[in-house]
């Protein structure tokens, strides 16, 4: 709230902080009928380079979340602004992805 009160713009998204050089967004609350092409289209203006829609290994069905990779940090930031957008009737949640821990 302090940043917004000081004219700092929109509040930071909930969830993990941005990792420098890791231009990946976590996208949750995805409708099960949505596919990678739907996500590609939704984030088309953001410079998508890859969509990883996670599926159940046994059934092959969507697990309702994805990681979307972007060409640069500006694209990632534009994608976060789309959090709450409707995709197949569900409001998606977009946050910063986190690299796998080694």
């Amino acid at each position: 709230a302090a940043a917004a009160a000081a004219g700092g713009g929109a509040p930071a998204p909930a969830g993990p902080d941005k990792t420098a050089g890791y231009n990946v967004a976590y996208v949750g609350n995805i409708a099960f009928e949505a596919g990678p092409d739907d996500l590609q289209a939704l984030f088309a203006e953001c410079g998508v380079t890859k969509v990883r829609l996670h599926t159940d290994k046994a059934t092959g069905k969507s697990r309702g979340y994805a990681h979307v990779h972007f060409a640069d940090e500006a694209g990632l930031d534009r994608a976060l602004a789309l959090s709450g957008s409707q995709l197949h009737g569900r409001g998606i949640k977009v946050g910063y992805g986190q690299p796998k821990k080694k």
Side-chain angles (χ1 to χ4, degrees):
D17 293 333
K18 186 188 306 186
T19 302
Y22 190 69
N23 301 322
V24 179
Y26 167 85
V27 184
N29 203 40
I30 300 170
F32 294 121
E33 57 273 11
D37 291 345
D38 295 308
L39 292 168
Q40 184 87 33
L42 179 68
F43 296 113
E45 301 293 315
C46 304
V48 174
T49 59
K50 180 178 178 182
V51 174
R52 290 185 296 141
L53 181 62
H54 298 278
T55 55
D56 182 281
K57 287 183 175 143
T59 65
K61 294 186 180 190
S62 171
R63 294 180 64 191
Y65 70 96
H67 286 91
V68 182
H69 298 242
F70 299 93
D72 54 35
E73 188 174 326
L76 173 62
D77 290 340
R78 286 194 303 275
L80 259 72
L82 294 172
S83 189
S85 296
Q86 293 290 309
L87 183 64
H88 287 276
R90 293 186 69 167
I92 60 165
K93 293 179 171 51
V94 184
Y96 294 117
Q98 293 298 295
K100 284 186 179 178
K101 298 196 179 358
K102 294 180 181 176

